[in-house]
Amino acid sequence: MNDAEYTSGSIEIPLKDSDEVIELGLDQLPDGDEVLAILIQENCPLHVWIRLAIGYYKQAKLADFVRILEASRTSANTNYRGYEKDLLKALDTLAAHYVQMANKEKNKELKKDYCSKATVLYTSADKISMYDSDHLLSRAYFCLLDSDKLDQADAQFNFVLSTNAYNVAALVGKASIAFNKKDYKTSLNYYKKALKTNANAPAGVRLGMGLCFYKLGKVPKAKLAFERALELDGQCVGALIGLSIIELNNKTSESTKLGVDLLSKAYKLDSKNPVILNHLANHFFYKKEYQKVQQLAMHAFHNTENELIRAETCYQLARSYHIQGDYDQAFQYYYQATQFNSSSFILPFFGLGQMYLHRNDSENAALCFEKVLKSSPNNYEAMKILGSIYSNSKEAEKKEMAKANFKKVTELCPDDVEAWIEYAQLLESHDIQGALNAYGIAIKILKENVQEGIPPEILNNVGSLYFRTGNFDESKRHFENALRLVNNELMHDKVYYGAIQTTIEYNIARLHEARHEYDMAEKSYRQILSRHPQYIDCILRIGCMCRDRGQIHEASEWFKEALRFTQTQPNSWSLLGNLHMDKEQLGPAQNQFERILKFNEQDTYALCALGNIWLHTLYQPSKEKDKGKRHEQRSLQMYKSVLKIDPRNIWAANGVGCVLAHKGLLNEARDIFAQVREATADFSDVWLNIAHILVEQKQYIRAIQMYENCAKKFYKHTNTQLLLYLVRALFRANRLLECKTMLLKARHVAPDDTLLMFNMALVQQKLARQVMSDNKSNLKAVQSAMYDLKSAWKTFSYLIMSGESDRFREFKVDAKMEAKFCEDLLSQGKYHLTRAERIDQEEKEMKRKQEQEIQQLKLKQMQEEMQREKELEEKRLALEQKRAEFIKSTQSLMIVEAEKKSAKKRSKKETGEVVSSASESDTAEPKSSKAKKSKSKKRRTADNISDNDQASQDSQEARMSKSKKKSKSRIKNSILSDDDDTQEDSDTEKSKSKKKKKKTSKSKSSSKHESSKKAGDYKSREYISSSDDEDQEAKNAATGDESQDTNHDTQDNLSDLEEQNADETMQNAEEIEQDVEEEEGSVAEEEEENEEGDNQVEEQEEEQEEEEDEVDKEAEQEQGNESMVQDEQQSEEDNE
């Protein structure tokens, strides 16, 4: 409506059938009816109607605007080209006006009427041009009013943008849709695009950007956007609200004041804006001006149809009434707030849950806080309240949830004392140690952080927990500390702390009773009764102590004294009933428990006790056949009633199993007992019942194990009844000796129990009968059996004389018959003793003979062992002697071989030098220079021969010592080696290879040294006269012939010695191998002992060899150096 077409200062109305016009100024338009009459009379074109209507709209004359546009639909002139566009504009303009009116209207009926009119107009416009951009935009904004038509509006905006991507209205519409879908980033992008398209966009675009920035957490940018919107439009209410919220959230005095000022300015501009009213109500709530809160909130409630805003308005009203104590009004508005918005706005649920708690409706309160916790999983307060609600529930699942909640609360806020205390109270029933730990943390926080005294209630609770764990010393310490604190606080509040004092004193008395300090306990109870005569728990505890001491009459009087104060106290009737049950007075016991049911029909203890009474009657003899079935049915009915009230009652389930077992349904009864035992392992009756079932099923071993485990776990072998059950199982398993042992233990506990005496006599009798019936029984067993028979006969006789024998007739056993049977067996005792003595003598004689044979055999074995050791020692000495001879012969052989090798080398060197010198003399030239050379050569070779002889002798001696050591090691290895010992073989091979490498390296080094010496000799030669050469050649030839003859003689002698030594060594080796093979077994032990010593010897030898090699190298180097010095001296002399 802001097009340039309609911004002129006047409008001309053409007159009908004339060229004249009527000019109307837009600033001073006449009455709408007058203008409407002129338009109709002059049959003006439609575009004139539209311009005049828009002019009235700009002057806020909305009624005239509507009348002109409504009349134009029927009275305007449309007989001109392009009227369709004007008609479309007229329809869309009027429809847009109705859309604005519907958006502002609070009345649902009027709002619906406006929407209907707009729908009709848009439908008519669709028939003219459905895809016109302006028409689609107008219709899309109409769809934005309905949240269900957002997709339809989005499609229309997309169509407009497909024709014109920079249509600002379409971009702003897309941004609004994205914002409503909580896609704030996309919405912001559309607003930015619209702003880029039109930099002069209205303030609403900046406002939308500010809202997007705020939702995205970019508060500074949001603040800038709101401020820019206010610069563009100083009356932008939305921007004022946004800035005020930002300032209020800063939570400083200056920012709060600025925020309130901004809200006040916005309120002056739009006093009916519900958002402004709600924020003002919130501000006045914290200023405790609750009357203003209610007025503003009610005003906001009646000025909006938006459910989110109405939910917040109701919440403001509810909490103002809540804090003033008007819980009914608060409940109403909290509930109404949850109905307006049940998903995102969780604060009303928190308040509604508190109202439900005020009304003691824990179930609905829990639902409210669960919704809060679902929306905000880490809400500390909701978890804490839910934990408190669940902890008071009777459902085990709820208690587990409470435990989980408190555990999470203590993790989120470890310093919350209240949470730790509530958590400890929750754990008291099933986790005593956990409760003690929680109380300990709470006490630590109180001491360190809160710096306050520990409440006596907590100390009393901790003392009670230690009492339950059996730690009486710690329990006493905490009770005494609590009592001291209470005594100090009595002057401040005598009533409250007086009650706590009485409770602590009662707990101390219970502690004395548990420590068997009965006199002190009774004294404490009586002191409490002197101040509080109607303290029933003290009366009952005194009665229980009398009962435990066997003072049944006194106990009954105390229980009746408690009933004198109140007839409805179930504990007194229960204790009286249990007294009658212990005395097997089933009728009076039944009356006591039935009295309890008159006051409370769902008392599970009384119902279960009545079931036990009916079950007990099943084991009493009765002549009526149907009586047992009736009692079974009644007992089963009582147990079922208990299980209906409490499905987890283990005593009732155990009773059902007992009834089924009595009916003979052993497997079914056993299944029930097994389930009860899975539920709790601290119930001794179910252990016994399972063992009874196993006995009836003849599984005696398992039954015995079950009885023994039960005795260890619960009674520590002091319960005579349990010992009797175990004796019965052992008796049926025919383990009579163990049965007798158990009966002796039971008689130590209860020596005067006639039932134990009777059972002992029966076991002794049967045990004696088994021994006497066995023809192989020895004298000691028969004597013990005779003693048992006499003891059994005396027991039976005593029971007959005392009149106790009639008591055992129900077990189908006659004491007189058993005593007579004992007399008969005793009369046969002499025969059995004689037979046992004879068997005993025969056994002794047999043992004596066997011992003699064993001694002879041992002596023979010792002699053989000594002979074997003597032979082994002789063989070992012979073997050592042969080994020594072999080593000696091998050493001599090695010496000869070494001499032979040295002689061969010496002869080769001598002959080689002589031959070379002779050839030189034969082939000498007549020249004087050649003669000189031959002389110097002869002299040099002679020197070399003498030097080499000396070096070869030293090296031969070193090699001889090495060869001796190596031969020793080879001899030892040949004797001590084993074919199976692969490790030692590999070790010896490695050592040999190392030695070979060393030898080769030595030979290479010696050869290099010799070649170097020869090269030095050749360099130092000088030429002398030929006459000297000839004389020298003749001498060398003579010495060469002599050396050849001697070499031939020594070679012949060495060859003979070699053959003889080889034969001897072969013979010795064969003899040694035979001896080793024969004595392989005896030498094996010596091999193991000598292996380590030999290895050490070999290592020492290798080290010595390495040292000798080094010494040889040094000696060769010294010899080489000396020869070099001699050569140099000789050359110098020759030169002179």
Side-chain angles (χ1 to χ4, degrees):
M1 293 183 184
N2 295 325
D3 294 340
E5 184 181 355
Y6 306 109
T7 59
S8 59
S10 62
I11 297 175
E12 295 180 350
I13 300 174
L15 297 177
K16 187 178 181 181
D17 299 330
S18 175
D19 294 334
E20 297 179 358
V21 296
I22 298 173
E23 187 176 353
L24 299 175
L26 291 176
D27 296 336
Q28 295 179 354
L29 289 171
D31 185 59
D33 293 335
E34 183 181 351
V35 173
L36 184 59
I38 294 171
L39 291 172
I40 294 171
Q41 183 180 355
E42 299 299 332
N43 193 19
C44 294
L46 180 59
H47 62 85
V48 177
W49 293 65
I50 295 171
R51 291 184 66 187
L52 282 170
I54 293 171
Y56 279 106
Y57 182 84
K58 288 182 176 180
Q59 293 183 9
K61 296 178 180 180
L62 301 180
D64 294 335
F65 166 77
V66 173
R67 280 200 302 273
I68 291 172
L69 287 180
E70 286 286 354
S72 68
R73 297 174 63 187
T74 57
S75 303
N77 182 11
T78 57
N79 293 325
Y80 61 92
R81 180 181 291 181
Y83 80 93
E84 293 90 353
K85 187 175 181 180
D86 292 337
L87 181 59
L88 181 65
K89 183 171 289 187
L91 293 172
D92 286 341
T93 303
L94 185 58
H97 171 69
Y98 285 139
V99 170
Q100 287 184 352
M101 296 299 292
N103 189 30
K104 294 178 181 179
E105 186 57 51
K106 305 300 185 287
N107 192 310
K108 289 185 178 180
E109 296 296 330
L110 290 175
K111 187 172 185 175
K112 187 177 181 182
D113 184 57
Y114 285 132
C115 290
S116 300
K117 289 179 179 180
T119 303
V120 171
L121 291 170
Y122 282 127
T123 304
S124 300
D126 286 341
K127 295 177 182 179
I128 298 171
S129 180
M130 181 180 290
Y131 298 106
D132 183 80
S133 297
D134 294 335
H135 169 67
L136 287 174
L137 285 172
S138 181
R139 191 174 183 85
Y141 276 102
F142 173 57
C143 292
L144 289 177
L145 291 178
D146 190 355
S147 59
D148 296 332
K149 295 182 180 180
L150 292 178
D151 294 334
Q152 184 179 347
D154 189 52
Q156 292 170 355
F157 286 132
N158 288 333
F159 183 82
V160 174
L161 289 172
S162 66
T163 59
N164 182 9
Y166 299 101
N167 190 298
V168 176
L171 291 171
V172 173
K174 289 279 291 181
S176 299
I177 292 171
F179 190 88
N180 287 329
K181 291 182 177 180
K182 298 182 180 181
D183 188 1
Y184 306 117
K185 193 172 183 180
T186 304
S187 176
L188 181 62
N189 290 331
Y190 279 118
Y191 280 125
K192 287 180 178 180
K193 191 173 181 181
L195 191 60
K196 289 179 182 178
T197 303
N198 183 8
N200 296 321
V205 176
R206 302 282 185 177
L207 177 61
M209 291 177 65
L211 294 173
C212 292
F213 280 129
Y214 188 82
K215 290 293 185 180
L216 291 170
K218 300 177 180 180
V219 178
K221 290 187 177 182
K223 186 177 181 181
L224 291 174
F226 291 143
E227 289 173 350
R228 178 58 180 160
L230 281 175
E231 290 176 4
L232 296 174
D233 182 6
Q235 296 183 353
C236 183
V237 177
L240 289 170
I241 294 171
L243 284 173
S244 67
I245 292 172
I246 291 172
E247 295 296 337
L248 289 172
N249 287 337
N250 289 331
K251 296 180 181 179
T252 61
S253 59
E254 295 180 358
S255 63
T256 303
K257 185 178 180 180
L258 180 58
V260 173
D261 291 341
L262 291 170
L263 280 176
S264 301
K265 187 176 180 181
Y267 179 75
K268 291 177 182 178
L269 294 172
D270 187 2
S271 61
K272 294 183 179 181
N273 190 305
V275 177
I276 298 172
L277 295 172
N278 279 335
H279 282 291
L280 285 172
N282 184 61
H283 170 67
F284 286 114
F285 176 82
Y286 288 109
K287 291 186 71 176
K288 298 182 180 180
E289 298 180 15
Y290 305 118
Q291 193 65 32
K292 289 184 179 181
V293 173
Q294 294 168 11
Q295 290 175 359
L296 291 167
M298 288 299 296
H299 193 40
F301 184 82
H302 292 296
N303 281 284
T304 184
E305 292 293 327
N306 188 292
E307 291 189 351
L308 291 173
I309 298 174
R310 280 197 164 190
E312 187 175 355
T313 302
C314 291
Y315 172 71
Q316 296 292 346
L317 288 167
R319 66 175 184 168
S320 67
Y321 286 118
H322 186 178
I323 202 168
Q324 293 181 74
D326 191 352
Y327 298 119
D328 293 334
Q329 287 288 338
F331 176 82
Q332 179 183 349
Y333 283 111
Y334 278 134
Y335 183 79
Q336 196 171 357
T338 59
Q339 296 303 308
F340 282 126
N341 185 20
S342 59
S343 58
S344 59
F345 192 39
I346 62 170
L347 292 177
F349 288 101
F350 202 95
L352 185 61
Q354 291 175 309
M355 294 299 100
Y356 277 124
L357 287 176
H358 179 71
R359 296 184 173 194
N360 294 323
D361 189 353
S362 300
E363 186 174 354
N364 284 321
L367 292 175
C368 291
F369 289 113
E370 284 172 359
K371 289 180 180 178
V372 175
L373 205 59
K374 185 178 180 181
S375 178
S376 181
N378 291 325
N379 190 294
Y380 169 78
E381 294 292 340
M383 276 191 289
K384 190 174 177 181
I385 296 172
L386 266 178
S388 298
I389 294 171
Y390 291 152
S391 62
N392 295 323
S393 176
K394 294 181 179 179
E395 299 179 11
E397 184 179 356
K398 295 289 185 183
K399 288 190 176 292
E400 288 297 322
M401 292 172 67
K403 183 180 175 182
N405 279 349
F406 276 120
K407 186 176 180 181
K408 194 170 183 181
V409 167
T410 54
E411 290 174 356
L412 290 173
C413 187
D415 295 333
D416 191 336
V417 179
E418 293 180 357
W420 282 110
I421 292 172
E422 289 194 45
Y423 188 34
Q425 290 174 350
L426 182 63
L427 295 174
E428 285 178 356
S429 59
H430 60 280
D431 187 2
I432 297 175
Q433 191 59 45
L436 285 171
N437 294 335
Y439 275 128
I441 295 172
I443 291 170
K444 185 178 179 182
I445 294 170
L446 286 171
K447 288 181 178 178
E448 296 178 357
N449 298 349
V450 183
Q451 294 181 357
E452 290 186 2
I454 302 169
E457 298 92 330
I458 294 178
L459 293 175
N460 180 62
N461 292 346
V462 174
S464 300
L465 291 173
Y466 278 120
F467 177 83
R468 290 169 60 185
T469 58
N471 192 346
F472 298 140
D473 294 333
E474 283 295 320
S475 177
K476 182 179 180 181
R477 184 172 67 83
H478 282 85
F479 285 145
E480 290 176 350
N481 291 336
L483 188 61
R484 187 178 64 256
L485 291 174
V486 168
N487 292 331
N488 294 334
E489 297 292 336
L490 273 175
M491 61 183 70
H492 301 296
D493 191 349
K494 191 172 183 180
V495 176
Y496 176 74
Y497 287 104
I500 297 176
Q501 182 188 32
T502 304
T503 302
I504 297 172
E505 288 177 351
Y506 173 79
N507 289 337
I508 292 173
R510 287 283 292 117
L511 180 63
H512 289 312
E513 184 181 347
R515 299 175 75 170
H516 306 290
E517 299 170 354
Y518 298 115
D519 295 336
M520 296 178 68
E522 187 173 355
K523 182 180 179 181
S524 298
Y525 289 136
R526 291 183 181 276
Q527 286 178 356
I528 295 171
L529 288 174
S530 64
R531 298 196 307 269
H532 306 282
Q534 296 184 5
Y535 202 121
I536 296 175
D537 288 339
C538 289
I539 298 172
L540 296 178
R541 290 315 308 171
I542 294 173
C544 290
M545 285 194 296
C546 293
R547 179 200 62 192
D548 296 339
R549 290 197 293 258
Q551 301 170 355
I552 305 300
H553 180 71
E554 289 80 356
S556 178
E557 292 297 325
W558 279 105
F559 296 150
K560 291 177 182 177
E561 179 69 17
L563 290 172
R564 188 170 65 84
F565 296 105
T566 175
Q567 293 288 322
T568 60
Q569 222 282 341
N571 291 337
S572 304
W573 294 110
S574 299
L575 290 169
L576 277 173
N578 289 333
L579 278 180
H580 291 299
M581 282 282 289
D582 293 339
K583 296 171 69 175
E584 296 189 0
Q585 297 173 358
L586 301 182
Q590 181 180 349
N591 294 332
Q592 308 302 329
F593 291 116
E594 286 176 350
R595 281 177 180 268
I596 298 173
L597 295 177
K598 290 180 181 179
F599 306 113
N600 183 9
E601 293 181 355
Q602 293 189 342
D603 191 301
T604 56
Y605 185 87
L607 290 170
C608 198
L610 286 172
N612 293 338
I613 290 171
W614 293 115
L615 180 64
H616 194 73
T617 58
L618 298 176
Y619 297 95
Q620 292 182 347
S622 177
K623 296 180 180 179
E624 297 181 15
K625 296 181 180 179
D626 297 334
K627 187 176 179 180
K629 293 182 179 179
R630 290 199 308 271
H631 289 184
E632 282 180 357
Q633 193 65 28
R634 289 178 182 175
S635 179
L636 196 59
Q637 183 180 357
M638 292 295 173
Y639 293 135
K640 287 182 178 179
S641 300
V642 174
L643 291 173
K644 286 180 181 179
I645 300 169
D646 182 11
R648 295 179 177 272
N649 193 301
I650 58 174
W651 290 273
N654 183 64
V656 172
C658 293
V659 174
L660 293 177
H662 189 268
K663 287 184 175 182
L665 303 173
L666 299 180
N667 292 326
E668 290 80 357
R670 184 176 174 182
D671 291 339
I672 291 175
F673 292 141
Q675 292 178 11
V676 173
R677 189 183 174 195
E678 288 177 2
T680 176
D682 297 330
F683 187 29
S684 61
D685 291 354
V686 73
W687 290 61
L688 295 176
N689 289 332
I690 292 172
H692 296 340
I693 294 292
L694 293 172
V695 170
E696 295 299 324
Q697 292 178 340
K698 297 183 180 180
Q699 299 181 23
Y700 301 119
I701 295 175
R702 295 183 61 189
I704 291 165
Q705 290 176 351
M706 185 65 71
Y707 284 131
E708 289 176 347
N709 292 334
C710 182
K712 291 177 183 177
K713 184 175 179 65
F714 298 103
Y715 301 106
K716 298 181 181 178
H717 299 289
T718 58
N719 189 301
T720 56
Q721 188 64 38
L722 175 57
L723 292 174
L724 274 176
Y725 295 148
L726 180 58
V727 164
R728 183 186 64 166
L730 292 168
F731 187 82
R732 292 191 178 185
N734 201 27
R735 294 162 64 174
L736 298 178
L737 289 174
E738 296 178 37
C739 183
K740 180 182 176 182
T741 304
M742 286 297 159
L743 282 169
L744 288 171
K745 289 182 179 180
R747 289 208 63 191
H748 279 294
V749 178
D752 297 331
D753 193 332
T754 55
L755 184 59
L756 292 174
M757 296 168 65
F758 182 77
N759 287 326
M760 175 63 85
L762 284 177
V763 171
Q764 287 176 329
Q765 183 202 79
K766 187 173 182 180
L767 192 60
R769 186 170 57 188
Q770 284 184 354
V771 171
M772 290 182 175
S773 61
D774 187 6
N775 293 329
K776 296 181 180 180
S777 299
N778 56 23
L779 179 61
K780 187 176 181 180
V782 173
Q783 290 175 347
S784 178
M786 292 296 294
Y787 175 80
D788 288 341
L789 271 177
K790 291 178 182 179
S791 178
W793 177 76
K794 290 179 180 179
T795 302
F796 287 132
S797 301
Y798 168 76
L799 293 174
I800 294 169
M801 293 295 294
S802 61
E804 294 287 339
S805 60
D806 297 335
R807 176 186 172 189
F808 308 109
R809 288 181 181 177
E810 58 178 307
F811 302 113
K812 299 180 181 179
V813 179
D814 190 359
K816 293 181 180 179
M817 295 294 294
E818 297 299 330
K820 187 176 181 183
F821 188 71
C822 289
E823 290 180 356
D824 294 340
L825 287 175
L826 284 170
S827 63
Q828 301 172 11
K830 188 175 180 180
Y831 165 74
H832 291 292
L833 282 172
T834 305
R835 175 178 55 78
E837 288 176 355
R838 184 179 68 255
I839 292 171
D840 190 58
Q841 290 295 329
E842 291 175 356
E843 288 179 354
K844 287 181 179 180
E845 184 64 25
M846 186 181 295
K847 285 182 180 180
R848 187 181 61 78
K849 290 180 179 180
Q850 288 177 353
E851 288 177 356
Q852 288 180 355
E853 291 176 357
I854 290 168
Q855 290 294 331
Q856 292 176 359
L857 182 62
K858 286 182 178 180
L859 183 61
K860 185 177 179 181
Q861 288 177 351
M862 289 176 64
Q863 291 175 355
E864 291 176 355
E865 184 67 23
M866 291 173 65
Q867 184 66 27
R868 192 181 300 110
E869 289 178 356
K870 185 177 180 181
E871 291 176 356
L872 287 173
E873 183 66 21
E874 291 176 355
K875 289 179 180 180
R876 186 180 65 78
L877 294 173
L879 187 63
E880 287 181 355
Q881 186 176 0
K882 289 180 181 180
R883 185 185 299 163
E885 292 175 357
F886 178 75
I887 290 169
K888 186 176 180 181
S889 62
T890 307
Q891 288 177 351
S892 62
L893 176 64
M894 293 302 295
I895 291 168
V896 172
E897 288 179 354
E899 291 176 353
K900 179 180 176 182
K901 288 180 181 179
S902 62
K904 283 181 178 180
K905 289 181 180 179
R906 192 180 298 109
S907 63
K908 285 180 181 180
K909 289 180 180 179
E910 291 175 355
T911 54
E913 294 296 332
V914 172
V915 170
S916 63
S917 62
S919 60
E920 288 175 357
S921 62
D922 293 337
T923 58
E925 293 180 359
K927 293 180 181 180
S928 63
S929 60
K930 290 183 179 180
K932 289 179 182 179
K933 286 181 181 178
S934 63
K935 281 185 180 182
S936 63
K937 242 182 222 183
K938 289 176 184 178
R939 192 180 296 115
R940 182 62 185 158
T941 51
D943 295 334
N944 285 336
I945 289 168
S946 62
D947 294 336
N948 288 330
D949 288 341
Q950 185 66 29
S952 63
Q953 287 178 3
D954 297 333
S955 62
Q956 285 296 332
E957 291 176 0
R959 288 191 185 93
M960 283 294 291
S961 63
K962 290 181 184 178
S963 63
K964 288 179 182 180
K965 292 177 182 177
K966 288 178 183 177
S967 63
K968 289 180 182 179
S969 63
R970 289 194 192 97
I971 292 165
K972 289 181 180 179
N973 289 329
S974 63
I975 295 171
L976 299 176
S977 63
D978 191 358
D979 293 338
D980 295 332
D981 194 355
T982 57
Q983 182 64 35
E984 291 182 0
D985 293 342
S986 63
D987 293 337
T988 52
E989 288 176 1
K990 289 179 181 178
S991 62
K992 289 178 181 178
S993 63
K994 288 181 181 178
K995 292 174 182 178
K996 287 179 180 179
K997 289 179 182 178
K998 291 179 181 178
K999 289 179 180 179
T1000 54
S1001 63
K1002 289 177 184 179
S1003 62
K1004 288 179 181 179
S1005 63
S1006 61
S1007 62
K1008 288 179 181 179
H1009 186 64
E1010 289 175 357
S1011 62
S1012 63
K1013 285 198 293 183
K1014 288 179 180 179
D1017 293 341
Y1018 291 136
K1019 287 179 183 178
S1020 61
R1021 284 177 184 169
E1022 294 290 337
Y1023 296 99
I1024 56 176
S1025 62
S1026 59
S1027 60
D1028 293 333
D1029 291 338
E1030 290 175 358
D1031 296 334
Q1032 188 67 32
E1033 286 177 0
K1035 289 179 182 179
N1036 287 337
T1039 54
D1041 295 334
E1042 291 175 1
S1043 63
Q1044 286 179 358
D1045 295 334
T1046 54
N1047 286 334
H1048 286 299
D1049 295 334
T1050 54
Q1051 286 178 359
D1052 294 334
N1053 295 327
L1054 287 170
S1055 61
D1056 296 333
L1057 287 171
E1058 273 182 23
E1059 290 176 357
Q1060 292 177 1
N1061 290 329
D1063 295 335
E1064 290 177 359
T1065 52
M1066 289 295 293
Q1067 291 176 359
N1068 292 331
E1070 289 176 357
E1071 290 176 358
I1072 290 169
E1073 287 177 357
Q1074 290 176 359
D1075 294 334
V1076 168
E1077 288 175 355
E1078 291 174 357
E1079 302 299 330
E1080 214 170 25
S1082 61
V1083 176
E1085 295 179 358
E1086 294 180 358
E1087 288 178 354
E1088 292 178 357
E1089 294 176 355
N1090 296 328
E1091 277 179 359
E1092 294 182 357
D1094 293 338
N1095 291 332
Q1096 293 177 356
V1097 171
E1098 289 177 0
E1099 291 177 356
Q1100 293 176 357
E1101 290 177 353
E1102 290 177 358
E1103 292 176 357
Q1104 291 177 358
E1105 289 177 0
E1106 291 176 357
E1107 292 177 356
E1108 291 173 357
D1109 292 339
E1110 292 177 357
V1111 171
D1112 293 340
K1113 288 179 181 179
E1114 293 176 355
E1116 289 175 357
Q1117 290 178 358
E1118 291 177 356
Q1119 290 176 0
N1121 295 330
E1122 291 177 356
S1123 62
M1124 291 287 290
V1125 171
Q1126 292 176 1
D1127 292 339
E1128 290 177 356
Q1129 292 177 356
Q1130 185 66 35
S1131 61
E1132 289 177 357
E1133 292 176 356
D1134 294 336
N1135 292 328
E1136 291 175 357

